[in-house]
Structure formats: structure tokens, C-alpha cells
Amino acid sequence: MSTQKVLFGLSRCIGRLLAIAAVVLALLPAGLGAQETVRDASAALDISQAAIGQNIGDYTFTANDGRKIRLADLRGRPVALSFIYTSCADTCPTITDTLAEAAESTWDALGDDAFTVVTIGFDAAADTPTAMRLFAGRRAGKYRQWLWLSGSLPDIAALARDTGFVFFESAKGFDHTAQITLIDGDGVVRAQIYGEDFALQKFADPIRSMLIRAPIDSDVSWSDRVRLFCTVYDPRTGKYTTDYSFYIELFAGATVLLPVAWFLFRNIRRQRRNT
């Protein structure tokens, strides 16, 4: 095989790998995309991360016991904010269970009054105070510092913008970023936690840092991105599953490229020795 043919084959492999790399790079932080690309993983992550350092507005919601709750009334201590929709059968309950475990452990360590957990139903038409109470189940009475709130669509949408939360209609009802937003006592977004199942340290450490007004490490790891975005909806099961296809393509492309590159390297060395 001539060097020219090898170079031609190598260029085709490189072209495919560049296409695959574009998919991988889409998961890395970049400039904030246009609003119409909000369903894209990269744009959603950018929106979420761009909210860090932003002040949240003062919106009024209704608790599951009928009380009116203004967000300004929660100032003075950290808030862990989650969005759910009550008809969700898998992701939202899982996120809530994980949040409950993390919050309970952190309350045990830092005190019952150290922070407040707020869960808001973003499906304004269906997530009524009664629906939120049923979704909360035993948690509604177990944790005194956990508020389950319903609100109007304008207020929900405004708070979602303030906190970088993305949601939209999908085949199963809604899709949304799996995130917990941590807000300090001054009403400023300080950190985002991603995924349905996150480590206690990712929750407790930022809460502790906010209490002592210490800096928070807000770097987003590769595993965070995978947990947040590498899911696809399977209409056969009605659930989201991890999509490994681009990893497989990346591995396959690398498997093709490396032997070709090695062959080209050996061929060039052989030609140089013969000249």
C-alpha cells in the first residue's frame, strides 16, 4: 500500500473522528446558545451554569397547606431548590429521594435550622397544593424545613430563568434538567448539583460553605454532565435510559484511527531508511 493511499484513508478516519469530537465538545461549557437550542445538552448546561452568581427575584407561591410563601421571606439562610412535576413517575421521585437523604444527613450535621429545602411543581396547571402534598407523601410532615410549593406559570417561568432551570414538553409529558440549585442567604445562586443520584458531599459541602461565607467550587465534572444529559426517552418502557451510542462511536473511531496511524508511522520510517 502506497503512502498516498494510506494518507487518503487516514484523512477519512480523521474526518469521522472530528465529527464525533464535535458531539463530545458539545457537552463542554461554551457560549450561551440561542433560546431555540435550549433542548440541546450544551445549551441547557450553559443556561444552568450562567445562573451561578445571579440574584433570584421575589416571587409568591402557595404551600401545600395553603400558606402564601414569598421567596424574600426565606432570606437569611441557604435554600436548596428543586423543580419537579407531580405526574412524573421516575426521575422526579428519584431526585427527591436523593435530596431527602442528603438534606437529612446535612441537617443532622449542621442543625435543623441551617438551611431550607424548597420543591416547586413547574407544571402549573396540575401541580396544585393538593398534588404537591400527595407527591411529598410522608416527607411533607417529616421535615419542618421543607416547603412544597405551587405557583402561577409566569412566576414559575421567571424563577426557572433566574435559577437556570430548563424544562419543556416531551413524549412523556415534560423533560427537564436534573438539578438542585443552592441559593445563599442573600438570594444569590451559588451552586448547581446535577443528576438523579448525587453524592452527599456535593450537597453538604456547599451548604457548609454558604453558612461560613466561604468560596464554593462550582466546577462541573465530566460525570455530572453524563448524569445530566446522556439520557434518551424510550417510548416502549416510558423511561429515560443512558445513551452510550456516541461513546461507542468514539471508541470505534479511535480503534480505526490508531492502527492506521501506527501503520503510517512505520511506513514513513521504513521509507526514510531506504533513502
Side-chain angles (χ1 to χ4, degrees):
M1 182 182 296
S2 67
T3 301
Q4 289 79 6
K5 290 183 178 180
V6 173
L7 288 172
F8 176 75
L10 182 59
S11 66
R12 294 184 61 183
C13 291
I14 292 175
R16 175 163 176 77
L17 280 183
L18 288 175
I20 296 171
V23 177
V24 177
L25 289 174
L27 291 175
L28 300 177
L32 185 60
Q35 185 65 29
E36 59 268 18
T37 63
V38 72
R39 300 189 185 199
D40 175 75
S42 178
L45 181 59
D46 286 342
I47 291 171
S48 176
Q49 286 288 291
I52 296 176
Q54 301 301 311
N55 288 279
I56 63 169
D58 182 19
Y59 311 108
T60 300
F61 294 89
T62 303
N64 59 0
D65 59 4
R67 289 178 297 149
K68 294 298 182 181
I69 303 294
R70 290 181 54 193
L71 296 186
D73 294 338
L74 304 180
R75 300 285 169 82
R77 59 183 174 184
V79 170
L81 174 67
S82 69
F83 285 93
I84 59 93
Y85 68 103
T86 56
S87 59
C88 179
D90 41 52
T91 304
C92 292
T94 302
I95 293 173
T96 304
D97 287 340
T98 304
L99 176 57
E101 293 177 6
E104 184 171 22
S105 296
T106 307
W107 275 317
D108 287 343
L110 303 179
D112 290 345
D113 296 328
F115 62 96
T116 302
V117 176
V118 175
T119 295
I120 295 176
F122 64 79
D123 184 1
D127 296 341
T128 63
T130 298
M132 292 297 289
R133 184 169 60 252
L134 293 174
F135 182 90
R138 62 180 177 80
R139 305 185 196 93
K142 181 179 180 181
Y143 304 112
R144 293 186 298 109
Q145 306 303 333
W146 196 323
L147 297 173
W148 304 84
L149 306 181
S150 304
S152 66
L153 184 57
D155 283 347
I156 291 169
L159 181 58
R161 287 193 297 270
D162 291 349
T163 58
F165 177 75
V166 173
F167 66 98
F168 52 86
E169 293 185 2
S170 68
K172 71 168 187 175
F174 290 95
D175 197 6
H176 57 90
T177 46
Q179 75 179 40
I180 307 296
T181 299
L182 300 183
I183 303 163
D184 67 18
D186 297 323
V188 178
V189 175
R190 295 290 304 279
Q192 308 280 23
I193 304 172
Y194 300 114
E196 300 176 23
D197 185 14
F198 52 84
L200 170 61
Q201 184 179 9
K202 284 187 172 293
F203 182 88
D205 285 357
I207 293 290
R208 185 182 296 107
S209 295
M210 285 189 284
L211 289 173
I212 63 175
R213 296 186 176 274
I216 295 176
D217 181 6
S218 60
D219 288 343
V220 181
S221 68
W222 174 260
S223 62
D224 285 333
R225 297 188 182 99
V226 170
R227 286 198 303 271
L228 178 59
F229 297 119
C230 291
T231 56
V232 292
Y233 180 71
D234 185 352
R236 295 171 301 175
T237 62
K239 296 182 179 180
Y240 278 81
T241 58
T242 302
D243 180 12
Y244 297 103
S245 59
F246 82 90
Y247 295 110
I248 295 173
E249 289 189 10
L250 180 61
F251 177 77
T255 302
V256 172
L257 177 60
L258 290 176
V260 172
W262 175 247
F263 175 83
L264 178 62
F265 174 73
R266 293 186 61 185
N267 192 44
I268 292 175
R269 289 189 61 186
R270 187 179 301 110
Q271 289 184 356
R272 287 179 176 176
R273 290 173 181 172
N274 295 334
T275 57

